[in-house]
Amino acid sequence: MKDALWQARPWQAFKNFAIIFSFIMNFILLLVLLLSAPLLLPGVRTIATPLVGGLAESFVQMNEANIERTISVEDEIPVTFTLPLQQTTDVVLVEPVPLTVPATFNLPGGGGTINGTVSIQLPQGLALPVALNMQVPVSSTVPVNLEVAVDIPLQETELGAPFATLEGLFIPLDSFLKQLPGDNDELFDRLQSVEKAPASSDAVGGPPAPPE
């Protein structure tokens, strides 16, 4: 029994030391925070608040911005198709065209008929009517030169999600910094108002004083 008590004493002593040490460290940390708050508040108001507020506003504006630009398109498009050609037109001979055609001659007075050939020559520049009926293959390229106006919302691109995430991070931080006291006097006023609040609530909600 004595051995068990002897073994439990170091552990109990260690627990007591750990509790006291934790209490002292927490007290020192709280004291450091309270003492450093008056020194940090002016820096937060003059440096951190404008910086975080500017970043939050910039991310909001970037998430609502549009990409506007005019893009020049210069290219050649291949065109291949078959053109049906059915029409009547006139063609002009560029040189004389000789013709030899069979002919039948009837002799006068019932003298009978004579079969033969006739040779003629069509003169240069003669216009002849022609009926066209054909399929014309067409293979070419068409040049394209356009100015295309582009208006793309940034939030619909791949950059929209990162900017939305940054906006969600900085806007609450900006709101928190704006709610901090602006200087030491405002900090002291808030602390005094917090101390007076319970007293005033007790005075309002407390039981009435007994009649004299």
Side-chain angles (χ1 to χ4, degrees):
M1 184 68 178
K2 293 181 179 181
D3 295 338
L5 292 175
W6 178 259
Q7 294 176 358
R9 287 178 181 178
W11 173 247
Q12 186 66 30
F14 175 77
K15 288 196 300 183
N16 294 335
F17 172 75
I19 293 173
I20 296 174
F21 180 77
S22 177
F23 175 78
I24 294 174
M25 292 302 298
N26 291 334
F27 178 77
I28 294 175
L29 180 61
L30 179 61
L31 184 61
V32 170
L33 291 177
L34 292 177
L35 294 177
S36 62
L39 302 177
L40 295 177
L41 287 177
V44 170
R45 176 65 65 171
T46 58
I47 299 177
T49 302
L51 179 60
V52 175
L55 289 174
E57 184 178 359
S58 298
F59 289 134
V60 171
Q61 294 176 355
M62 295 182 71
N63 196 28
E64 297 176 353
N66 289 11
I67 301 176
E68 298 180 358
R69 188 175 180 182
T70 301
I71 301 177
S72 299
V73 179
E74 295 182 0
D75 199 355
E76 290 186 353
I77 301 177
V79 177
T80 303
F81 62 95
T82 300
L83 176 64
L85 188 59
Q86 296 178 352
Q87 65 178 15
T88 300
T89 185
D90 293 335
V91 296
V92 179
L93 300 179
V94 296
E95 61 183 17
V97 177
L99 295 177
T100 300
V101 295
T104 300
F105 301 95
N106 295 320
L107 299 177
T113 59
I114 300 175
N115 295 324
T117 58
V118 176
S119 297
I120 60 176
Q121 181 172 309
L122 301 180
Q124 180 181 355
L126 177 64
L128 300 176
V130 177
L132 301 178
N133 186 5
M134 62 181 68
Q135 301 291 327
V136 180
V138 177
S139 179
S140 181
T141 56
V142 178
V144 177
N145 190 358
L146 300 176
E147 298 291 332
V148 181
V150 176
D151 187 359
I152 303 176
L154 188 62
Q155 59 184 354
E156 297 180 2
T157 64
E158 296 181 354
L159 297 175
F163 283 124
T165 302
L166 293 173
E167 179 182 348
L169 292 175
F170 278 90
I171 288 181
L173 181 59
D174 180 44
S175 301
F176 172 75
L177 292 178
K178 289 180 179 178
Q179 293 177 359
L180 293 177
D183 50 22
N184 299 332
D185 295 337
E186 185 177 353
L187 175 62
F188 294 146
D189 292 340
R190 291 190 182 184
L191 293 177
Q192 291 177 359
S193 62
V194 171
E195 293 176 356
K196 294 178 180 179
S200 60
S201 60
D202 294 341
V204 173
E212 295 180 357

